[in-house]
Amino acid sequence: MTAEPTAEDTDLAEYVLRLGDDALVLCQRLCALVTRAPTIEEDLALANIALDLLGHARTLLAYSGTLDGTGRGEDELAYHRTERQFRSALLMELVPGDFAVTIARQLVYAHYSRLLWSALEKSSDATLAAFGARASREVEYHQMHADQWTVRLGRGTAESRRRMQAGLDLVWPYAAELFERDALVDRLDAAGTAVAPARLREEWEREVAAVLDEARLTLPKPAWQATGGRDGLHTEAFAPLFAEFRSVRLQYPGGTW
Amino acid sequence: MCAGIERPRSDLFICEGTATAAVLDEGVVDGVEQLNAHFEALLAAGEQIEPRDWMPDGYRRMLVRQVSQHAHSEIIGMQPEGSWLTRAPSLHRKASLLAKVQDEAGHGLYLYSAAETLGVSRADLLDALHSGHQRYAATFNHPALTWADTGAIAWLTDGAAVVNQAPLCHTSYGPYARAMRRVCQEEAFHVRQGYDVLWSLCQGTPEQKEMAQDAVNRWWLPAVALMFGPPDTVAGGADDRTAAMGAAVSQRSMAWGIKRHTNDELRQRFVDNVVPQAERMGVTLPDPAIRWNEERGHYDFSPIDWQLFRGALGDGSQCARQRLAHRVAAHEDGAWVREAVDAYAAQLADGELESVELDDEGRRVS
Ligand SMILES: [Fe+2]
Ligand SMILES: [Fe+2]
Ligand SMILES: [Fe+2]
């Protein structure tokens, strides 16, 4: 039996689970796009980004399972929870419409995650600090990829510009949830183990505004804000995503993979 | 190296059918004969032909056909496994499969680049694929029905690809040979991964093992028949006439140093590789004729005759249509993106981006 985790470990387990679920669900959305991209280069790029995100999810989920005292491994956590136990932000499960929506989401998440992982390099938790150092460098490429596409589509043709703006408008209401604060992140932030994402918001806004400016696109001013993912309150798109994700594993109980 | 051979450059001559056939001027014919002699001398010296070297039309055509078909196969081949990316039963397997499908996209890119050195464009080759004018390995016209299929595909079809491609690392056309050297190492890795997927299933529950065996049953023939092309020797299962026809094509290709072995030789090599692996894994290959032949020093197997080959093609099947439709849909859905890329690149080239103001519709404000 594992020892009872401390209150701080329980907090950290939940925090890390949120971040791991974000990466896992976004990875799942990208997986579905491979072989459907506008160019072969892009099939390759999306697979590459999905693979990085999967790596992040695996590290974070495994760490969460250690911290919470259950000893659950990455697969146990990824495949054997219920929908309501997933902590990902709603942005990740958003059904991708066209390529512009995919890029808009990547833009939001890549800047956010790069800022977050860099900030976590200074975490007093050694595991999280090491993860932050590795992951922040990987998502630099994701950010560059999203920035370049945003500019290309924003400045390409009238159609690409219209679609890119529509993609941003669709995605933007989901950005705020990434920066939400609650008692849990405040406690961890005060302890120096984690970073309250609200502290990254201003820098994030400055960065994406600069990209949109270069792309000659308009920064959306959303009329509403999505929320609920951190409490496991997802959209209706989540259950089918999760059902597909775990379908094989559920069909073969007790299987070895 | 054979430094003594002068290398006439293709760009100094109009080398495509246009001029050589149409202009029957004595001098030109002499010139072509001389060029051909140089070309043959390069081949005889074991040198690689490079894009700027003169080459006969037939050689160029055979290469364009083979390299583009190969590129298309990499791209279409992403589909059967790619459809399981969202359903991989463990995160470790999901990562391996993502890496594999990513590799296959890379292979497609290297090969399209190699084809482009022959004076064709990727856009035109893709159009030819989409319109059905160019083909891809018919192996991929078979459906990937279960998770175990991802293992069987990687083990058997990538395994067949390795056997085919190892000699192509020394094929006579330089850019193709170099592309194949990069591809081959990764393919060998895919084979091991595929074996490992099936091996794990065979270690698992009876239901998992059944899934593995079923996938092997369905992918054996597409791999052994289709990955190597039709029979081209009498021993391999062709009748005298078709063997002679197949052999003629193979011989032309071999004389030019594009191919190094007959289809049937490579097929035998594949069977010899795979049979012991299947035994170790504990799956049965669905060919009762497979047995070790002491005299030949090879495994016997049912000859892949033309009837079997045609039956395995799956031309016009639901799955064949779906593969092409999937590819065409992705291409058409992405048209606006590629147009944007071109438009932006053109703006950059004109150096006008900083100075031009666009209105809300993206039109230039004059
Ligand atoms: Fe990467
Ligand atoms: Fe490949
Ligand atoms: Fe492969």
Side-chain angles (χ1 to χ4, degrees):
Chain A
M1 282 312 293
T2 342
E4 271 298 297
T6 63
E8 183 164 333
D9 280 354
T10 307
D11 276 356
L12 198 56
E14 175 75 8
Y15 175 79
V16 166
L17 191 62
R18 292 177 181 182
L19 307 181
D21 283 351
D22 281 350
L24 183 65
V25 175
L26 184 52
C27 165
Q28 179 72 357
R29 280 297 186 224
L30 294 180
C31 280
L33 299 178
V34 177
T35 74
R36 292 181 171 83
T39 61
I40 303 159
E41 282 84 353
E42 208 39 36
D43 275 324
L44 199 155
L46 294 176
N48 185 272
I49 293 170
L51 190 54
D52 287 342
L53 293 174
L54 185 56
H56 302 169
R58 294 177 69 186
T59 305
L60 292 167
L61 293 187
Y63 189 39
S64 180
T66 317
L67 288 166
D68 71 10
T70 61
R72 286 175 293 177
E74 56 178 43
D75 288 331
E76 192 65 21
L77 278 165
Y79 292 89
H80 300 287
R81 278 181 290 161
T82 64
E83 288 89 347
R84 290 278 284 108
Q85 289 166 334
F86 272 81
R87 294 292 178 253
S88 49
L90 304 188
L91 172 70
M92 311 308 162
E93 70 209 50
L94 191 64
V95 178
D98 60 9
F99 186 65
V101 175
T102 294
I103 293 303
R105 168 165 45 201
Q106 289 304 119
L107 181 73
V108 168
Y109 181 74
H111 282 266
Y112 156 81
S113 59
R114 200 205 85 255
L115 288 167
L116 182 60
W117 304 149
S118 321
L120 282 177
E121 284 185 56
K122 295 185 204 75
S123 166
S124 59
D125 182 275
T127 309
L128 219 44
F131 171 77
R134 172 171 71 88
S136 62
R137 271 188 292 282
E138 286 180 357
V139 296
E140 269 169 31
Y141 165 72
H142 305 187
Q143 182 180 305
M144 194 182 76
H145 171 263
D147 289 356
Q148 288 179 349
W149 271 115
T150 303
V151 172
R152 263 184 228 128
L153 297 180
R155 290 167 82 152
T157 63
E159 185 186 8
S160 71
R161 176 189 174 78
R162 178 182 58 72
R163 285 181 185 252
M164 191 61 223
Q165 187 64 56
L168 293 167
D169 293 344
L170 181 81
V171 157
W172 231 250
Y174 295 84
E177 189 182 9
L178 299 173
F179 302 100
E180 272 175 1
R181 57 185 303 175
D182 61 13
L184 178 112
V185 289
D186 284 348
R187 281 197 300 275
L188 290 168
D189 188 274
T193 16
V195 183
R199 295 210 275 125
L200 309 171
R201 173 129 205 189
E202 233 175 85
E203 180 57 19
W204 177 85
E205 266 172 8
R206 219 183 349 261
E207 288 184 8
V208 292
V211 178
L212 296 189
D213 190 54
E214 201 197 331
R216 297 190 177 132
L217 293 160
T218 312
L219 190 71
K221 297 216 170 28
W224 68 284
Q225 293 185 349
T227 186
R230 304 306 188 199
D231 295 319
L233 294 166
H234 291 275
T235 62
E236 288 182 354
F238 189 81
L241 172 146
F242 186 48
E244 182 181 9
F245 173 81
R246 69 204 301 230
S247 54
V248 173
R249 199 172 169 104
L250 285 201
Q251 273 176 39
Y252 294 87
T256 52
W257 305 102
Chain B
M1 282 301 289
C2 180
I5 299 176
E6 225 181 289
R7 308 186 69 129
R9 283 165 45 173
S10 67
D11 55 346
L12 302 180
F13 283 85
I14 304 161
C15 58
E16 281 294 342
T18 46
T20 47
V23 185
L24 288 171
D25 180 304
E26 282 290 297
V28 172
V29 172
D30 272 0
V32 170
E33 270 168 18
Q34 215 177 348
L35 288 168
N36 200 45
H38 278 294
F39 172 80
E40 295 289 347
L42 281 175
L43 286 183
E47 275 216 50
Q48 283 192 324
I49 308 300
E50 293 299 334
R52 291 172 79 78
D53 292 330
W54 182 91
M55 61 189 86
D57 285 352
Y59 177 83
R60 186 184 296 270
R61 272 198 304 273
M62 186 177 268
L63 270 169
V64 167
R65 192 166 156 273
Q66 181 166 335
V67 178
S68 51
Q69 174 165 337
H70 192 163
H72 299 330
S73 303
E74 299 283 356
I75 298 310
I76 296 284
M78 291 165 68
Q79 285 183 35
E81 291 171 283
S83 73
W84 289 91
L85 283 171
T86 53
R87 293 172 287 179
S90 76
L91 298 187
H92 161 66
R93 294 294 179 202
K94 200 179 188 76
S96 306
L97 190 60
L98 261 171
K100 179 181 194 270
V101 175
Q102 182 188 331
D103 286 348
E104 305 300 4
H107 299 171
L109 289 175
Y110 305 153
L111 286 160
Y112 284 121
S113 298
E116 286 190 321
T117 66
L118 292 159
V120 291
S121 76
R122 197 212 295 185
D124 289 343
L125 295 179
L126 284 175
D127 285 344
L129 168 67
H130 299 154
S131 63
H133 285 96
Q134 281 183 347
R135 300 179 59 96
Y136 53 88
T139 311
F140 301 117
N141 283 341
H142 291 265
L145 300 179
T146 70
W147 165 253
D149 289 45
T150 67
I153 292 170
W155 176 47
L156 294 173
T157 74
D158 291 54
V162 168
V163 170
N164 263 331
Q165 291 168 11
L168 290 176
C169 295
H170 311 285
T171 190
S172 61
Y173 187 57
Y176 189 27
R178 287 189 288 276
M180 291 322 301
R181 271 174 238 149
R182 298 177 70 177
V183 168
C184 257
Q185 285 184 335
E186 291 179 350
E187 296 296 5
F189 187 69
H190 298 167
V191 181
R192 282 200 293 278
Q193 264 180 20
Y195 179 87
D196 194 59
V197 165
L198 291 178
W199 188 85
S200 293
L201 294 175
C202 290
Q203 302 302 108
T205 63
E207 291 79 12
Q208 285 185 297
K209 181 153 190 203
E210 196 185 312
M211 170 164 66
Q213 180 64 60
D214 171 61
V216 169
N217 291 348
R218 286 180 290 103
W219 283 96
W220 170 249
L221 193 60
V224 73
L226 302 178
M227 289 298 286
F228 300 95
D232 55 357
T233 60
V234 176
D239 61 41
D240 288 345
R241 219 180 113 252
T242 45
M245 262 163 48
V249 177
S250 287
Q251 271 162 21
R252 185 66 263 170
S253 181
M254 284 193 269
W256 274 333
I258 298 175
K259 249 173 104 100
R260 303 270 177 201
H261 308 275
T262 63
N263 296 345
D264 290 324
E265 270 176 284
L266 294 170
R267 207 185 321 271
Q268 178 70 60
R269 199 174 288 179
F270 169 69
V271 173
D272 289 346
N273 284 348
V274 162
V275 173
Q277 293 170 1
E279 280 167 4
R280 244 177 290 141
M281 200 188 295
V283 294
T284 308
L285 296 172
D287 177 357
I290 290 178
R291 75 176 55 82
W292 178 249
N293 183 322
E294 194 65 57
E295 210 174 302
R296 294 197 309 123
H298 291 290
Y299 284 94
D300 287 339
F301 60 102
S302 300
I304 304 300
D305 60 25
W306 268 98
Q307 199 189 342
L308 201 61
F309 184 83
R310 277 198 208 92
L313 277 175
D315 275 358
S317 65
Q318 187 279 340
C319 191
R321 286 161 201 275
Q322 181 195 311
R323 295 280 183 250
L324 211 50
H326 181 118
R327 183 58 226 149
V328 169
H331 192 74
E332 286 175 357
D333 287 350
W336 68 271
V337 177
R338 294 189 304 278
E339 280 160 22
V341 170
D342 291 346
Y344 182 64
Q347 292 169 44
L348 280 184
D350 288 353
E352 56 180 32
L353 269 179
E354 294 317 313
S355 55
V356 173
E357 280 300 309
L358 300 177
D359 67 12
D360 284 347
E361 300 295 304
R363 285 184 296 256
R364 287 173 68 158
V365 181
S366 46

